[in-house]
Amino acid sequence: MTDTSPSLGATAAETAEPLSAPATAGTDSQPVARDADAASGPATSAATAASGAEAAPVFTGEAPAGKTFWANLNSPFRLGLVLTLGGLAAIALGLAFWNLSTIIIYVVFALFAALGLDPVVRWFGRHSVSRPWAIVIVYTAFALVFTGVMLLVVPALVKQITAFFSDLPATVDEFQASDFYAWLSSTFGGQVGAITDQVETFLTNPANIAAIGGGVVNFAINVGTTISGLIIVLVLSLYFLAGLPAMKVAFNRFVAARNRKKAAAMTDQITDSIGAYLMGMVVLAFCNSVVAFLLHLFLGLPFPALMGVLAFLITLIPLIGSVLYWLTATTLALFTGWVPALIFAVIYLIYMQLEAYVLTPKVMNKAISVPGALVVIGAMVGGTLLGLLGALVAIPVTASILLIIKQVFIPKQDAKI
């Protein structure tokens, strides 16, 4: 009978690996291995051959895995050249960003101005007014209000600033004759009078005022730069406001098609909240300005128009703007007398509570809520990086980041089990 088994004359190990051969086959070590195999039997010989095949190193031209990263580099010169060029490119981009920082600030300011005016434009759109005509109405109204405010405030502001420096000696004399100054002198000694005289001498010296402003020429240059910047921001905001819907569509097309619906909803929510927040901040700052102007006017405190403009600018700072203005205005009111200063401090403090618990919830009802700690941190970071603009836009940027974290990152983490 013929045996059809493929393992004819072979052991079980040879049947499993019929073509295996020792790693030292054809070398001087082969007889030694053959003698050891003969002494230990056929099964041990096959196992030794298999283990030798697994343990034999294979040379591939690369360093072993236990070596460092740099030992695995086959072209160190090319790597060094690429890293050097990458570092130079990063430095060039940083310098370009630094040189273009003013333009970037203008663009960001204009974009946020457009987002702040967009709710008003959409309100006209809901009342059967086309978007182009709504933009024309909004900018015309803004130009009329701005021109009226400038005509009312600027002459009085210039007059009051001039009067401030010309009447400064008389104001200091009145302050030194007040009861508050007597209390300071009795408490802190004669140093109060010396400090007051030094402040008066410093402020009445025109050279010091010019030095504070950086010189007359630099002051004129700064004024011209500010005016040109405002014009650039106004024009850019007009273009951004007109093309805001198309910008949203173009931005959403960078997202994968399956996620565009969610991205579009998030974009609308972010832009709506930013617009509502900025408009709310302007409205609240305007209310602070009106209250400050009326208090200074009726209490007989000096420079009501100047203090009203100062109130508008300071209270634009989120969360702490009202407190800063309250402290500043109360301190300046002490130069007139402690009674009007106390009345101003009490009335404005009452208004701050009214604003915090009544006006702010009504005005900010569509804005994204941000924890108080993040508001303070965002305002400080934004103010340090971009000044007043940074403090103004820090909160909506923080709110947008929180929204993205809540709707994108956290759901992904919750889905991981």
Side-chain angles (χ1 to χ4, degrees):
M1 180 181 293
T2 303
D3 188 2
T4 59
S5 172
S7 58
L8 180 62
T11 64
E14 291 172 342
T15 304
E17 295 187 46
L19 298 180
S20 62
T24 56
T27 62
D28 294 335
S29 59
Q30 178 64 22
V32 178
R34 186 181 300 110
D35 294 338
D37 292 343
S40 58
T44 307
S45 177
T48 304
S51 62
E54 293 177 357
V58 179
F59 180 74
T60 61
E62 297 183 358
K67 298 295 183 179
T68 60
F69 169 76
W70 299 104
N72 289 297
L73 300 177
N74 296 325
S75 301
F77 176 79
R78 182 175 60 184
L79 177 65
L81 180 62
V82 171
L83 292 177
T84 303
L85 293 178
L88 293 176
I91 294 174
L93 289 176
L95 292 176
F97 182 83
W98 178 263
N99 293 327
L100 295 175
S101 59
T102 303
I103 305 300
I104 294 173
I105 290 174
Y106 289 161
V107 172
V108 173
F109 204 172
L111 181 60
F112 273 86
L115 292 176
L117 293 175
D118 186 60
V120 182
V121 173
R122 288 191 285 108
W123 181 85
F124 281 104
R126 290 193 296 268
H127 291 78
S128 302
V129 179
S130 62
R131 188 174 182 86
W133 280 109
I135 294 175
V136 171
I137 293 172
V138 169
Y139 271 83
T140 303
F142 175 77
L144 293 176
V145 171
F146 182 77
T147 303
V149 170
M150 290 296 103
L151 292 176
L152 290 174
V153 173
V154 171
L157 194 61
V158 173
K159 181 179 178 180
Q160 291 178 6
I161 291 176
T162 305
F164 173 78
F165 290 103
S166 61
D167 297 342
L168 185 62
T171 304
V172 172
D173 292 338
E174 292 179 0
F175 174 68
Q176 291 177 344
S178 64
D179 297 335
F180 180 70
Y181 180 81
W183 176 80
L184 288 176
S185 299
S186 62
T187 304
F188 300 101
Q191 295 179 354
V192 178
I195 294 174
T196 305
D197 293 337
Q198 290 177 3
V199 172
E200 178 183 1
T201 303
F202 181 82
L203 292 178
T204 53
N205 188 355
N208 294 330
I209 304 301
I212 293 175
V216 177
V217 177
N218 289 335
F219 179 76
I221 293 175
N222 291 332
V223 171
T225 303
T226 303
I227 294 175
S228 62
L230 289 176
I231 295 174
I232 293 174
V233 168
L234 184 64
V235 174
L236 283 177
S237 64
L238 177 61
Y239 282 109
F240 285 156
L241 186 60
L244 194 58
M247 291 171 60
K248 291 181 182 180
V249 174
F251 176 77
N252 292 329
R253 295 195 67 180
F254 284 96
V255 183
R258 63 180 180 273
N259 298 326
R260 284 179 186 171
K261 185 176 181 180
K262 183 178 181 180
M266 289 183 58
T267 303
D268 291 337
Q269 188 174 354
I270 290 174
T271 54
D272 292 346
S273 63
I274 291 176
Y277 174 81
L278 295 177
M279 286 297 296
M281 288 298 299
V282 172
V283 170
L284 293 176
F286 179 75
C287 293
N288 277 277
S289 176
V290 171
V291 171
F293 174 78
L294 293 178
L295 285 176
H296 279 78
L297 186 64
F298 290 125
L299 292 176
L301 298 175
F303 320 117
L306 176 61
M307 298 306 296
V309 174
L310 188 64
F312 181 83
L313 296 177
I314 294 180
T315 54
L316 283 175
I317 302 175
L319 193 66
I320 60 175
S322 300
V323 178
L324 288 178
Y325 178 75
W326 177 65
L327 294 174
T328 304
T330 303
T331 303
L332 294 177
L334 288 173
F335 285 88
T336 304
W338 69 271
V339 175
L342 180 61
I343 296 174
F344 174 84
V346 172
I347 296 177
Y348 197 81
L349 184 61
I350 294 173
Y351 168 75
M352 288 171 56
Q353 303 304 314
L354 180 67
E355 178 188 57
Y357 294 102
V358 178
L359 295 179
T360 301
K362 289 184 177 297
V363 173
M364 297 291 190
N365 58 348
K366 292 184 179 180
I368 301 177
S369 59
V370 182
L374 292 181
V375 170
V376 177
I377 295 173
M380 290 190 298
V381 172
T384 302
L385 295 177
L386 299 176
L388 179 60
L389 172 63
L392 181 62
V393 304
I395 308 306
V397 171
T398 305
S400 303
I401 295 174
L402 286 178
L403 179 65
I404 294 173
I405 292 175
K406 291 179 180 178
Q407 297 192 8
V408 177
F409 179 75
I410 292 180
K412 287 184 178 181
Q413 296 300 108
D414 292 340
K416 297 177 181 179
I417 301 176

